[in-house]
Amino acid sequence: MEAASCVVRELGVVGYAETFEAQKRFTAERGPDTPDELWLLQHEPVYTLGLAGKPEHLLIPSEVPVVKIDRGGQITYHGPGQAVIYLLIDLARRNLKVREQVSLMEQAMLDVLGSYGIVASRREGAPGVYVREAKIGALGLKISRGCSYHGLSLNVDLDLAPFLRINPCGYEGLASTSLKEQGVTVSTDAVLAQLAARLSELLDRDYPRMA
């Protein structure tokens, strides 16, 4: 389906490796007129390690696979019950800078959390969204040929135990939380739809696609 100027694809619960390859392929093959896309999904359990990621941030190995990828940042966890949106955006066509896209993704998460009465905030020098001292939303991007892929993840109703086996995003002792832990019961699909709508609104309001 299409939300404003972005095509929205609802992928369900999918493996990480196949989705990673699909993002790279889409970005390599897209042309100047290819619409931007938002991919809405949940992942099967996986740890992802960014370009500069240090393996020692995986504190306790487990049956959960570790995948090395090409986004920035350190290690994080994805699993069912976490809302993931990949933003496949032509930055130049929207006159959008990387830092502005990071801020936009954070704002969308803050707005959706706020709609449930959860007061969250940014943290200087540590991209993402936090409820007091605990991280509830993460993000990471890769820019190739002037276009972005990867995106954001927001913890809705997932098992938080796997975060205890890592230094999340490279920060020792960083706690993780979720909407459920904050007392909000809502489906991950509902949160995905809200995030996609808000991302589209912000993109088209502040960074409309240029002809």
Side-chain angles (χ1 to χ4, degrees):
M1 64 181 177
E2 188 166 341
S5 63
C6 291
V7 174
V8 176
R9 301 195 186 278
E10 301 173 8
L11 304 184
V13 181
V14 293
Y16 190 87
E18 65 203 58
T19 316
F20 178 36
E21 292 302 319
Q23 291 182 80
K24 291 192 291 184
R25 186 166 57 249
F26 176 91
T27 302
E29 295 175 354
R30 69 180 299 168
D33 297 321
T34 302
D36 293 332
E37 296 197 0
L38 303 177
W39 293 4
L40 283 54
L41 57 120
Q42 301 174 56
H43 275 307
E44 297 166 359
V46 65
Y47 291 114
T48 61
L49 191 64
L51 279 172
K54 298 178 180 179
E56 57 264 34
H57 287 308
L58 176 64
L59 305 175
I60 305 172
S62 69
E63 71 284 355
V64 177
V66 180
V67 179
K68 294 183 179 181
I69 58 172
D70 59 356
R71 61 159 172 77
Q74 292 286 332
I75 192 168
T76 194
Y77 171 74
H78 299 298
Q82 183 186 66
V84 176
I85 298 188
Y86 292 135
L87 292 88
L88 297 107
I89 307 293
D90 185 329
L91 276 68
R93 198 167 58 189
R94 291 181 181 269
N95 194 26
L96 175 62
K97 297 179 175 61
V98 177
R99 286 193 177 186
E100 293 170 338
Q101 185 172 345
V102 167
S103 179
L104 182 147
M105 291 190 294
E106 291 173 335
Q107 190 62 52
M109 289 191 282
L110 291 170
D111 291 345
V112 170
L113 290 168
S115 73
Y116 291 104
I118 297 175
V119 178
S121 61
R122 296 178 171 93
R123 181 175 292 183
E124 186 67 30
V129 173
Y130 301 80
V131 178
R132 292 177 292 279
E133 297 304 312
K135 193 165 191 174
I136 194 169
L139 55 88
L141 290 172
K142 170 70 175 179
I143 308 301
S144 176
R145 302 172 63 239
C147 300
S148 71
Y149 58 100
H150 297 299
L152 62 84
S153 60
L154 185 63
N155 299 336
V156 181
D157 181 9
L158 79 165
D159 179 9
L160 296 173
F163 287 105
L164 299 175
R165 303 187 188 112
I166 62 174
N167 290 327
C169 304
Y171 292 94
E172 183 177 356
L174 177 63
S176 298
T177 190
S178 65
L179 275 84
K180 183 177 182 180
E181 191 174 73
Q182 296 299 315
V184 175
T185 300
V186 62
S187 74
T188 305
D189 285 341
V191 173
L192 281 167
Q194 288 178 278
L195 282 170
R198 188 59 179 147
L199 286 166
S200 294
E201 289 170 359
L202 292 172
L203 281 166
D204 289 338
R205 185 190 74 185
D206 298 336
Y207 306 100
R209 175 175 167 172
M210 300 167 63

